Amino acid sequence: MPVRTSLALAVSAALVAGTALGLAPAAQAVETADSTGIRFVDIAGEGGTVLKANVLAPAGAAGARHPLIVLPTSWAMPQIEYLVQARKLADSGYVVVSYNSRGFWQSGGEIETAGPKDVADASKVIDWALANTAADPDRVGMGGVSYGAGISLLAAAHDPRVKAVAALSGWADLIESIYSGRTQHLQAAALLGGAGALTGRPGPELKQILSDFLSSNLAKEEDMIAWGRTRSPATYLDRINANGAAIMLGNAWGDTIFPPNQYASFYEKLTGPKRLEFRPGDHATAELTGLFGLPNDTWTNARRWFDRYLKGADNGIDREQPVQLKSRSTGGYEGYPDWKSVHANQRKFDLGGTQRVWANVDSGANGGVTLLTNALDQFLRTPPVVSVPLLPRSFAGVWQSERYDAPQRVRGTVKAHTTVASTKESGTLVAYLYDVGPLGVGKLVTNAPYTFHGKTPGQPFAVDLELFSTAYDVPAGHRLALVVDTVDPLYIEHNPTGAQLTFSSPAADPSYVSVPLRKE
């Protein structure tokens, strides 16, 4: 396990740091400007910590007040991350301040992982902008990708001046994101930890949390969960609703760092103006092309969102169906009145019989590689594949539906219910849903892990598992297959040596998979 963790840390960090190093700007003096009109400034954050920032404003901004948009940078990214989009916003009438989050690059302090100091920094940046630019105090918005999205949502809970947010590829529940199913998302944590160490200054708290997390220190589990709750916008849902900011959430179906389920759950509980967009891709890949100035639906809609709720523009975005989904199969958009309507039509297939699998051996079914696999699916429509008939039944449980006469348009969250017995008190299983063609080739539709501790060996217990939400079309003539094994490179498993899992379907509590389908 330590070798695998170290390798994942090194590879992930190198990938992210290579990108970030290529973009890193030279150190800038306070209040300098370049020929394009961008100003590089130092802003005093919480406790006087220096935050490196840049400012773009509309031409002739002096003498008139303009709406303000604040963009905190993504994890490990330099302060010029949003420069292209900031220019577009400034050209359309916004004052835009983008700043390097504390602990990264040239900004001072240590990485707080969206802690209280990061939230306070956001308010300090707003204070500075209102005092030093032509920003309108009644029209303040925030936004960003990933880390910037999370900080923006947290700021909307703590600073009532924030009237609109565009939170892209972010999180609402940090623990549910990287510890869903009580399972450590290994590659996601390694990516964040490694990139933070190479581009910033992790504080002792973050180092300890990562160490406990990656070493599976269950004695510190409650501490880790409490740490994550403090950094989760969902914890402050009542404040966000009371402040009434207009919230736009955007994410990718295959986000392996912040999976879509937790965003959808958060969206349903918002009471103010809101919008939810899901597209194919992995973490931040849906927004990536827009950062380079290429056409990008996510950024286009984010600007429309700000225009409506900061400028009062009658652009129609508030009259569109608020839930917008883009299928991984067709590429077309579908609108829904709410998230519940997405998966209102359910179709089940049974997980009958009894199947036993040995743990600690990878059957060949897996969810791929963080950032790479789902990005390939986004651009090339090539999800991970397996030969379902050739999966070794000693190490994988396999159940298949009947062959469908018509296309099955999977939309929303697939749920699995089964009964498990283990020969050990702890264990991990990973469930995969595959689209299986006539030759037995299965294309991955979705997956999710599940870990248990403290169970009585040999005593059956019920398992209810939500797989990661998706939008995928199963062609006519194909089947769906649920595959369960115990090893996946995306996750840390907790299977003792020699463990065996038994899956059954008691008559009093039958096992099944419930698949949400689009209403035709």
Side-chain angles (χ1 to χ4, degrees), residues 9-35:
L9 277 165
V11 173
S12 301
L15 288 171
V16 172
T19 302
L21 285 167
L23 294 174
Q28 299 290 339
V30 178
E31 293 287 355
T32 63
D34 68 9
S35 59

Side-chain angles (χ1 to χ4, degrees), residues 189-239:
L191 176 69
L192 296 173
L198 282 176
T199 62
R201 296 167 299 283
E205 184 180 39
L206 175 57
K207 290 179 181 177
Q208 187 63 53
I209 287 289
L210 278 173
S211 175
D212 292 338
F213 184 82
L214 292 171
S215 65
S216 305
N217 187 352
L218 288 178
K220 296 291 187 179
E221 184 180 39
E222 288 303 317
D223 292 341
M224 180 195 70
I225 291 173
W227 178 87
R229 283 176 180 157
T230 301
R231 290 156 171 80
S232 296
T235 301
Y236 311 101
L237 180 69
D238 291 346
R239 294 189 195 180

Side-chain angles (χ1 to χ4, degrees), residues 225-438:
I225 291 173
W227 178 87
R229 283 176 180 157
T230 301
R231 290 156 171 80
S232 296
T235 301
Y236 311 101
L237 180 69
D238 291 346
R239 294 189 195 180
I240 293 174
N241 286 335
N243 290 341
I247 307 293
M248 172 182 162
L249 305 172
N251 204 358
W253 294 119
D255 194 322
T256 46
I257 296 180
F258 304 130
N261 303 45
Q262 46 91 32
Y263 242 20
S265 176
F266 178 69
Y267 169 84
E268 282 291 86
K269 298 170 186 174
L270 292 170
T271 58
K274 59 184 180 178
R275 183 179 177 92
L276 178 67
E277 299 183 355
F278 284 141
R279 298 177 175 83
D282 206 310
H283 184 64
T285 63
E287 300 84 27
L288 182 62
T289 56
L291 295 177
F292 294 100
L294 300 174
N296 183 278
D297 293 347
T298 307
W299 283 105
T300 296
N301 287 340
R303 290 196 299 274
R304 293 175 65 217
W305 191 252
F306 287 133
D307 287 349
R308 175 65 187 90
Y309 290 102
L310 296 181
K311 289 183 177 180
D314 185 14
N315 57 16
I317 195 168
D318 55 325
R319 294 189 295 275
E320 296 173 359
Q321 295 277 39
V323 176
Q324 294 287 321
L325 312 182
K326 190 173 186 180
S327 169
R328 292 166 50 202
S329 303
T330 65
Y333 283 97
E334 302 166 3
Y336 298 83
D338 51 38
W339 178 247
K340 290 180 292 187
S341 299
V342 174
H343 47 83
N345 185 24
Q346 300 283 329
R347 183 169 186 172
K348 294 182 178 181
F349 68 89
D350 294 333
L351 305 179
T354 298
Q355 298 195 34
R356 295 179 178 86
V357 300
W358 290 97
N360 295 314
V361 177
D362 192 340
S363 70
N366 68 74
V369 178
T370 290
L371 296 185
L372 177 61
T373 298
N374 291 316
L376 291 174
D377 185 42
Q378 173 186 356
F379 295 109
L380 302 176
R381 296 185 186 171
T382 55
V385 298
V386 296
S387 174
V388 173
L390 296 182
L391 286 171
R393 296 316 198 255
S394 295
F395 309 118
V398 180
W399 299 263
Q400 296 193 71
S401 72
E402 76 275 20
R403 183 173 287 109
Y404 298 116
D405 295 331
Q408 305 294 294
R409 308 189 191 283
V410 181
R411 299 291 185 273
T413 307
V414 175
K415 298 179 181 180
H417 173 78
T418 189
T419 296
V420 180
S422 174
T423 57
K424 306 291 183 179
E425 66 172 16
S426 297
T428 296
L429 59 92
V430 185
Y432 309 88
L433 188 71
Y434 284 100
D435 159 25
V436 185

Side-chain angles (χ1 to χ4, degrees), residues 56-62 64-67 87 89-96 134:
L56 282 160
R65 289 290 176 183
H66 298 270
R87 169 59 67 193
L89 288 165
D91 288 345
S92 63
Y94 292 94
V95 173
V96 185

Side-chain angles (χ1 to χ4, degrees), residues 145-178:
V145 176
S146 186
Y147 197 45
I151 291 175
S152 295
L153 287 172
L154 289 164
H158 291 84
D159 194 328
R161 294 176 297 182
V162 178
K163 305 300 183 186
V165 172
L168 313 177
S169 289
W171 76 91
D173 188 325
L174 189 57
I175 295 300
E176 189 61 28
S177 294
I178 62 173

Side-chain angles (χ1 to χ4, degrees), residues 453-506:
H453 297 287
K455 298 297 183 181
T456 302
Q459 181 67 42
F461 58 93
V463 170
D464 288 287
L465 178 60
E466 289 191 352
L467 280 66
F468 300 134
S469 303
T470 194
Y472 181 96
D473 294 351
V474 179
H478 286 211
R479 306 173 185 266
L480 284 171
L482 186 78
V483 175
V484 179
D485 72 2
T486 62
V487 177
D488 190 304
L490 287 172
Y491 312 113
I492 293 177
E493 73 270 17
H494 297 261
N495 297 299
T497 301
Q500 189 179 33
L501 302 182
T502 300
F503 300 90
S504 61
S505 182

